[in-house]
Short mmCIF file of all heavy atoms in Angstrom, two decimals:
data_model
loop_
_atom_site.label_atom_id
_atom_site.label_comp_id
_atom_site.label_asym_id
_atom_site.label_seq_id
_atom_site.Cartn_x
_atom_site.Cartn_y
_atom_site.Cartn_z
N PRO O 208 0.79 -1.23 0.00
CA PRO O 208 0.00 0.00 0.00
C PRO O 208 0.82 1.28 0.00
O PRO O 208 0.40 2.28 -0.59
CB PRO O 208 -0.85 -0.12 1.27
CG PRO O 208 -0.13 -1.12 2.13
CD PRO O 208 0.52 -2.07 1.18
N GLN O 209 2.00 1.27 0.64
CA GLN O 209 2.79 2.50 0.66
C GLN O 209 3.25 2.89 -0.74
O GLN O 209 3.24 4.06 -1.11
CB GLN O 209 3.98 2.35 1.59
CG GLN O 209 3.60 2.34 3.07
CD GLN O 209 4.80 2.49 3.98
OE1 GLN O 209 5.94 2.31 3.56
NE2 GLN O 209 4.56 2.82 5.23
N VAL O 210 3.65 1.89 -1.53
CA VAL O 210 4.10 2.18 -2.90
C VAL O 210 2.91 2.41 -3.82
O VAL O 210 2.87 3.37 -4.59
CB VAL O 210 4.98 1.03 -3.43
CG1 VAL O 210 5.29 1.23 -4.91
CG2 VAL O 210 6.28 0.95 -2.64
N VAL O 211 1.92 1.54 -3.74
CA VAL O 211 0.79 1.62 -4.67
C VAL O 211 0.00 2.91 -4.46
O VAL O 211 -0.31 3.62 -5.42
CB VAL O 211 -0.13 0.39 -4.49
CG1 VAL O 211 -1.41 0.55 -5.31
CG2 VAL O 211 0.61 -0.88 -4.92
N GLU O 212 -0.30 3.22 -3.23
CA GLU O 212 -1.10 4.42 -2.95
C GLU O 212 -0.24 5.66 -2.79
O GLU O 212 -0.65 6.76 -3.19
CB GLU O 212 -1.95 4.19 -1.70
CG GLU O 212 -2.94 3.06 -1.87
CD GLU O 212 -3.86 2.83 -0.69
OE1 GLU O 212 -3.58 3.41 0.39
OE2 GLU O 212 -4.85 2.08 -0.83
N GLY O 213 0.96 5.50 -2.22
CA GLY O 213 1.81 6.66 -1.99
C GLY O 213 2.57 7.11 -3.21
O GLY O 213 2.74 8.31 -3.44
N LEU O 214 3.04 6.16 -4.03
CA LEU O 214 3.86 6.50 -5.20
C LEU O 214 3.07 6.46 -6.50
O LEU O 214 3.20 7.36 -7.34
CB LEU O 214 5.04 5.54 -5.29
CG LEU O 214 6.05 5.80 -6.41
CD1 LEU O 214 6.74 7.14 -6.21
CD2 LEU O 214 7.10 4.68 -6.46
N GLN O 215 2.25 5.43 -6.67
CA GLN O 215 1.51 5.27 -7.92
C GLN O 215 0.16 5.98 -7.89
O GLN O 215 -0.45 6.18 -8.95
CB GLN O 215 1.30 3.78 -8.24
CG GLN O 215 2.57 2.94 -8.21
CD GLN O 215 3.60 3.36 -9.25
OE1 GLN O 215 3.32 4.19 -10.12
NE2 GLN O 215 4.80 2.82 -9.15
N GLY O 216 -0.34 6.31 -6.70
CA GLY O 216 -1.62 7.00 -6.61
C GLY O 216 -2.80 6.13 -7.00
O GLY O 216 -3.83 6.63 -7.46
N ARG O 217 -2.65 4.81 -6.81
CA ARG O 217 -3.72 3.89 -7.13
C ARG O 217 -4.23 3.24 -5.84
O ARG O 217 -3.45 3.04 -4.90
CB ARG O 217 -3.22 2.78 -8.07
CG ARG O 217 -2.55 3.29 -9.34
CD ARG O 217 -3.52 4.07 -10.20
NE ARG O 217 -4.65 3.25 -10.58
CZ ARG O 217 -5.77 3.73 -11.11
NH1 ARG O 217 -5.93 5.05 -11.24
NH2 ARG O 217 -6.75 2.92 -11.45
N PRO O 218 -5.50 2.89 -5.77
CA PRO O 218 -6.01 2.21 -4.57
C PRO O 218 -5.42 0.81 -4.45
O PRO O 218 -5.21 0.12 -5.45
CB PRO O 218 -7.52 2.18 -4.77
CG PRO O 218 -7.71 2.30 -6.26
CD PRO O 218 -6.58 3.15 -6.76
N PHE O 219 -5.17 0.38 -3.23
CA PHE O 219 -4.56 -0.93 -3.01
C PHE O 219 -5.60 -2.01 -2.72
O PHE O 219 -5.28 -3.19 -2.76
CB PHE O 219 -3.57 -0.85 -1.83
CG PHE O 219 -2.80 -2.14 -1.63
CD1 PHE O 219 -1.82 -2.53 -2.54
CD2 PHE O 219 -3.06 -2.96 -0.54
CE1 PHE O 219 -1.12 -3.71 -2.36
CE2 PHE O 219 -2.37 -4.14 -0.35
CZ PHE O 219 -1.39 -4.52 -1.26
N ARG O 220 -6.83 -1.64 -2.44
CA ARG O 220 -7.83 -2.61 -2.02
C ARG O 220 -7.98 -3.74 -3.06
O ARG O 220 -7.76 -3.55 -4.24
CB ARG O 220 -9.19 -1.94 -1.80
CG ARG O 220 -9.83 -1.39 -3.06
CD ARG O 220 -11.15 -0.70 -2.77
NE ARG O 220 -11.81 -0.23 -3.98
CZ ARG O 220 -11.54 0.90 -4.60
NH1 ARG O 220 -10.61 1.72 -4.10
NH2 ARG O 220 -12.19 1.24 -5.70
N ALA O 221 -8.34 -4.90 -2.54
CA ALA O 221 -8.56 -6.10 -3.36
C ALA O 221 -7.38 -6.41 -4.29
O ALA O 221 -7.54 -6.59 -5.49
CB ALA O 221 -9.84 -5.95 -4.19
N PRO O 222 -6.15 -6.50 -3.75
CA PRO O 222 -4.99 -6.73 -4.61
C PRO O 222 -5.04 -8.04 -5.38
O PRO O 222 -4.58 -8.11 -6.52
CB PRO O 222 -3.81 -6.68 -3.63
CG PRO O 222 -4.40 -6.99 -2.30
CD PRO O 222 -5.77 -6.39 -2.33
N LEU O 223 -5.59 -9.09 -4.77
CA LEU O 223 -5.63 -10.37 -5.48
C LEU O 223 -6.58 -10.31 -6.67
O LEU O 223 -6.28 -10.87 -7.74
CB LEU O 223 -6.05 -11.49 -4.53
CG LEU O 223 -6.15 -12.89 -5.14
CD1 LEU O 223 -4.87 -13.28 -5.87
CD2 LEU O 223 -6.51 -13.92 -4.07
N THR O 224 -7.71 -9.65 -6.52
CA THR O 224 -8.62 -9.48 -7.66
C THR O 224 -7.95 -8.71 -8.78
O THR O 224 -8.07 -9.07 -9.96
CB THR O 224 -9.90 -8.75 -7.22
OG1 THR O 224 -10.55 -9.51 -6.19
CG2 THR O 224 -10.86 -8.57 -8.38
N ARG O 225 -7.20 -7.68 -8.42
CA ARG O 225 -6.47 -6.92 -9.44
C ARG O 225 -5.43 -7.80 -10.13
O ARG O 225 -5.22 -7.71 -11.34
CB ARG O 225 -5.80 -5.70 -8.80
CG ARG O 225 -6.78 -4.67 -8.26
CD ARG O 225 -6.04 -3.55 -7.51
NE ARG O 225 -6.96 -2.65 -6.86
CZ ARG O 225 -7.53 -1.59 -7.43
NH1 ARG O 225 -7.25 -1.32 -8.70
NH2 ARG O 225 -8.36 -0.83 -6.77
N MET O 226 -4.77 -8.65 -9.36
CA MET O 226 -3.78 -9.54 -9.95
C MET O 226 -4.45 -10.51 -10.92
O MET O 226 -3.96 -10.72 -12.05
CB MET O 226 -3.07 -10.33 -8.85
CG MET O 226 -2.10 -11.39 -9.36
SD MET O 226 -0.61 -10.70 -10.07
CE MET O 226 0.34 -10.53 -8.55
N ARG O 227 -5.55 -11.11 -10.51
CA ARG O 227 -6.26 -12.05 -11.39
C ARG O 227 -6.65 -11.36 -12.70
O ARG O 227 -6.48 -11.93 -13.79
CB ARG O 227 -7.52 -12.57 -10.70
CG ARG O 227 -7.30 -13.60 -9.62
CD ARG O 227 -8.62 -14.03 -9.02
NE ARG O 227 -8.48 -15.06 -8.01
CZ ARG O 227 -8.44 -16.36 -8.26
NH1 ARG O 227 -8.55 -16.77 -9.52
NH2 ARG O 227 -8.30 -17.25 -7.30
N GLU O 228 -7.21 -10.17 -12.60
CA GLU O 228 -7.66 -9.47 -13.79
C GLU O 228 -6.48 -9.12 -14.69
O GLU O 228 -6.57 -9.22 -15.93
CB GLU O 228 -8.45 -8.22 -13.40
CG GLU O 228 -9.77 -8.53 -12.72
CD GLU O 228 -10.61 -7.30 -12.45
OE1 GLU O 228 -10.24 -6.19 -12.91
OE2 GLU O 228 -11.66 -7.43 -11.79
N THR O 229 -5.39 -8.71 -14.08
CA THR O 229 -4.19 -8.39 -14.88
C THR O 229 -3.71 -9.62 -15.64
O THR O 229 -3.44 -9.56 -16.85
CB THR O 229 -3.08 -7.87 -13.96
OG1 THR O 229 -3.48 -6.63 -13.37
CG2 THR O 229 -1.79 -7.63 -14.75
N VAL O 230 -3.60 -10.75 -14.96
CA VAL O 230 -3.13 -11.97 -15.61
C VAL O 230 -4.10 -12.41 -16.70
O VAL O 230 -3.69 -12.83 -17.80
CB VAL O 230 -2.91 -13.09 -14.58
CG1 VAL O 230 -2.61 -14.42 -15.26
CG2 VAL O 230 -1.78 -12.72 -13.62
N ASP O 231 -5.40 -12.29 -16.44
CA ASP O 231 -6.40 -12.65 -17.46
C ASP O 231 -6.20 -11.83 -18.74
O ASP O 231 -6.22 -12.37 -19.86
CB ASP O 231 -7.81 -12.42 -16.93
CG ASP O 231 -8.25 -13.43 -15.89
OD1 ASP O 231 -7.57 -14.47 -15.75
OD2 ASP O 231 -9.26 -13.18 -15.21
N ILE O 232 -6.04 -10.53 -18.58
CA ILE O 232 -5.91 -9.65 -19.74
C ILE O 232 -4.59 -9.89 -20.45
O ILE O 232 -4.52 -9.94 -21.69
CB ILE O 232 -6.05 -8.17 -19.31
CG1 ILE O 232 -7.47 -7.92 -18.79
CG2 ILE O 232 -5.72 -7.23 -20.46
CD1 ILE O 232 -7.64 -6.58 -18.10
N VAL O 233 -3.53 -10.08 -19.69
CA VAL O 233 -2.22 -10.37 -20.29
C VAL O 233 -2.28 -11.65 -21.11
O VAL O 233 -1.76 -11.73 -22.23
CB VAL O 233 -1.14 -10.46 -19.19
CG1 VAL O 233 0.13 -11.10 -19.74
CG2 VAL O 233 -0.83 -9.07 -18.64
N ARG O 234 -2.94 -12.66 -20.59
CA ARG O 234 -3.02 -13.92 -21.33
C ARG O 234 -3.85 -13.78 -22.60
O ARG O 234 -3.56 -14.43 -23.61
CB ARG O 234 -3.60 -15.02 -20.43
CG ARG O 234 -2.64 -15.46 -19.32
CD ARG O 234 -2.95 -16.86 -18.86
NE ARG O 234 -2.17 -17.26 -17.69
CZ ARG O 234 -0.92 -17.70 -17.72
NH1 ARG O 234 -0.28 -17.77 -18.88
NH2 ARG O 234 -0.30 -18.06 -16.61
N LEU O 235 -4.88 -12.94 -22.58
CA LEU O 235 -5.62 -12.66 -23.82
C LEU O 235 -4.68 -12.09 -24.88
O LEU O 235 -4.71 -12.50 -26.04
CB LEU O 235 -6.76 -11.68 -23.55
CG LEU O 235 -8.01 -12.20 -22.85
CD1 LEU O 235 -8.95 -11.03 -22.54
CD2 LEU O 235 -8.73 -13.24 -23.72
N ALA O 236 -3.86 -11.14 -24.46
CA ALA O 236 -2.92 -10.52 -25.39
C ALA O 236 -1.88 -11.52 -25.87
O ALA O 236 -1.54 -11.57 -27.06
CB ALA O 236 -2.24 -9.32 -24.74
N PHE O 237 -1.36 -12.35 -24.95
CA PHE O 237 -0.36 -13.34 -25.33
C PHE O 237 -0.94 -14.34 -26.33
O PHE O 237 -0.21 -14.87 -27.18
CB PHE O 237 0.13 -14.11 -24.09
CG PHE O 237 1.08 -13.33 -23.22
CD1 PHE O 237 1.45 -12.04 -23.51
CD2 PHE O 237 1.61 -13.92 -22.08
CE1 PHE O 237 2.33 -11.33 -22.70
CE2 PHE O 237 2.50 -13.25 -21.27
CZ PHE O 237 2.86 -11.94 -21.57
N ALA O 238 -2.23 -14.61 -26.23
CA ALA O 238 -2.87 -15.56 -27.15
C ALA O 238 -3.19 -14.94 -28.50
O ALA O 238 -3.66 -15.64 -29.41
CB ALA O 238 -4.15 -16.09 -26.51
#
C-alpha cells in the first residue's frame, strides 16, 4: 500500500482481484 497508494496513486484494495484481472488480460494478449 505504501508504494501503490503513496507513489503510484492507485487504490490498493482487493490486490488479489487486481492480480487475477491483470493476468487474465495479459493472457488474452499473449494468445
Side-chain angles (χ1 to χ4, degrees):
Q209 288 192 344
V210 172
V211 172
E212 297 183 348
L214 183 64
Q215 308 298 351
R217 306 297 301 166
F219 186 71
R220 67 182 183 277
L223 179 54
T224 300
R225 294 175 187 273
M226 174 72 86
R227 285 180 178 274
E228 292 186 8
T229 295
V230 172
D231 287 347
I232 294 169
V233 166
R234 290 205 187 279
L235 284 174
F237 285 1

